[in-house]
Amino acid sequence: TTPGAAFETNPSVRCSNASFKIDLQIRSAVISDFVANPTIGCSPLTVQFTNTSVLGDSFLYDFGDGFTAFDRNPSHTFTEPGTYTVTLTSIDSGTCNIISTYQRKIEVLANATAAFDVSFNGCDNKLELENNSISGFTYRWDFGDGNESAEKTPKYKYDETGEYSITLFVNEGTPCEDEIRKPVSISPKVTPEIKLYNVFTPNNDGLNECFVFDGEFLECKDFKLKIYNRWGEKMFETTNPKECWNGRIQGSSTDVPEGTYFYLLWFGNDSSPISGIVDLLH
């Protein structure tokens, strides 16, 4: 016992018990916790964090994307798609455990952009579809005739001719869905026809200036035209039925003289060409 105690000596003939109290001023444990709203959405996604921790003098949020915050209830914008683990560290030096951490995942989805190209080729009665969508993971095609497809780029043929609207739904039913609609005209299969001409006048009067075969749907068949002079020298060659001969040596500015020229025309799958003459008049 110390001087000034109630009993500086122990008069008892037997053992005695002493009791004492120490106040360390320590509170209970700090418990880190927070609520995030929302936890899933499309980029850029802004999330509000609400701190629900028990005790804590200071707080550190690590958003998992290289950014941090020391606010109690911060908001943060995630700019890139991905899954982020957000960690809250709560610190309180007056508690038993001093530090507590809590984690929650935030899922940021990429915004989908629905896009496709559509064309109908009457030559072979074929519908062409090309899916150009961005950030798509599910697709639904509505062809406007009661039929659908879940393929990314389906092949489809209409039973009837007419006007239709094709709709593409991308990521349907998710927060980042998108859709696009385009018209398409379905016509009967065409039959190419060619008309042969044998005279033209490249004299700059604006009439009949160049030599070209006329007809319908010439692009539906293989086409090759060669034109020669009387000495067998090639003056012109093309595989484009819409390209005409302007009366010059191909690839130059040299006008050929007035006269008769000879052509060979391959049209379709025939191995033998159609031959004929063409008169050039100035």
Side-chain angles (χ1 to χ4, degrees):
T1 58
T2 59
F7 300 94
E8 296 182 357
T9 60
N10 184 3
S12 175
V13 295
R14 51 188 172 76
C15 295
S16 297
N17 293 329
S19 64
F20 58 88
K21 176 182 178 182
I22 300 177
D23 185 2
L24 300 178
Q25 295 183 343
I26 294 179
R27 295 181 286 176
S28 59
V30 59
I31 302 174
S32 183
D33 194 8
F34 68 89
V35 175
N37 184 35
T39 57
I40 183 172
C42 304
S43 64
L45 179 66
T46 299
V47 181
Q48 177 64 51
F49 297 91
T50 302
N51 193 329
T52 58
S53 301
V54 176
L55 301 178
D57 292 331
S58 59
F59 305 95
L60 170 62
Y61 286 88
D62 185 336
F63 299 111
D65 61 353
F67 292 91
T68 59
F70 295 93
D71 299 338
R72 183 179 182 89
N73 300 304
S75 65
H76 182 68
T77 299
F78 298 88
T79 59
E80 298 296 330
T83 300
Y84 299 91
T85 300
V86 180
T87 303
L88 170 61
T89 301
S90 300
I91 304 171
D92 192 333
S93 58
T95 59
C96 296
N97 55 343
I98 300 176
I99 295 176
S100 176
T101 60
Y102 178 75
Q103 293 181 330
R104 184 182 293 272
K105 292 187 180 298
I106 305 297
E107 187 173 359
V108 183
L109 305 175
N111 277 297
T113 301
F116 71 92
D117 291 327
V118 57
S119 63
F120 177 75
N121 188 341
C123 297
D124 53 12
N125 206 236
K126 188 177 182 181
L127 178 70
E128 295 284 351
L129 294 170
E130 183 179 358
N131 192 337
N132 303 312
S133 301
I134 300 174
S135 300
F137 49 85
T138 65
Y139 306 95
R140 181 171 71 88
W141 297 83
D142 184 339
F143 297 107
D145 63 349
N147 293 316
E148 297 183 351
S149 174
E151 296 181 28
K152 181 177 180 179
T153 303
K155 295 182 178 180
Y156 190 71
K157 184 176 182 179
Y158 287 94
D159 294 330
E160 303 290 339
T161 61
E163 305 294 325
Y164 298 92
S165 289
I166 300 177
T167 306
L168 172 59
F169 301 89
V170 179
N171 300 350
E172 189 176 18
T174 71
C176 308
E177 65 183 356
D178 193 24
E179 66 180 77
I180 187 174
R181 179 180 292 107
K182 288 187 176 183
V184 62
S185 179
I186 307 298
S187 59
K189 188 174 182 178
V190 300
T191 302
E193 296 181 359
I194 191 168
K195 298 177 182 178
L196 305 178
Y197 294 97
N198 60 2
V199 64
F200 74 113
T201 57
N203 54 9
N204 296 320
D205 64 355
L207 300 173
N208 199 21
E209 289 291 332
C210 64
F211 176 73
V212 65
F213 290 113
D214 197 6
E216 295 182 342
F217 311 111
L218 301 186
E219 68 277 5
C220 293
K221 285 191 175 183
D222 292 334
F223 182 97
K224 183 167 66 173
L225 173 66
K226 294 182 180 182
I227 299 177
Y228 300 87
N229 64 14
R230 65 179 62 193
W231 295 281
E233 297 173 322
K234 186 169 63 176
M235 301 288 101
F236 179 75
E237 181 179 0
T238 184
T239 56
N240 182 357
K242 296 182 179 180
E243 183 180 5
C244 64
W245 180 38
N246 61 3
R248 295 176 180 175
I249 298 175
Q250 192 169 27
S252 76
S253 59
T254 303
D255 292 325
V256 301
E258 184 177 284
T260 299
Y261 294 83
F262 304 88
Y263 67 77
L264 294 175
L265 171 64
W266 288 263
F267 186 62
N269 297 323
D270 296 334
S271 57
S272 299
I274 301 170
S275 61
I277 62 173
V278 53
D279 291 321
L280 187 156
L281 303 176
H282 289 305

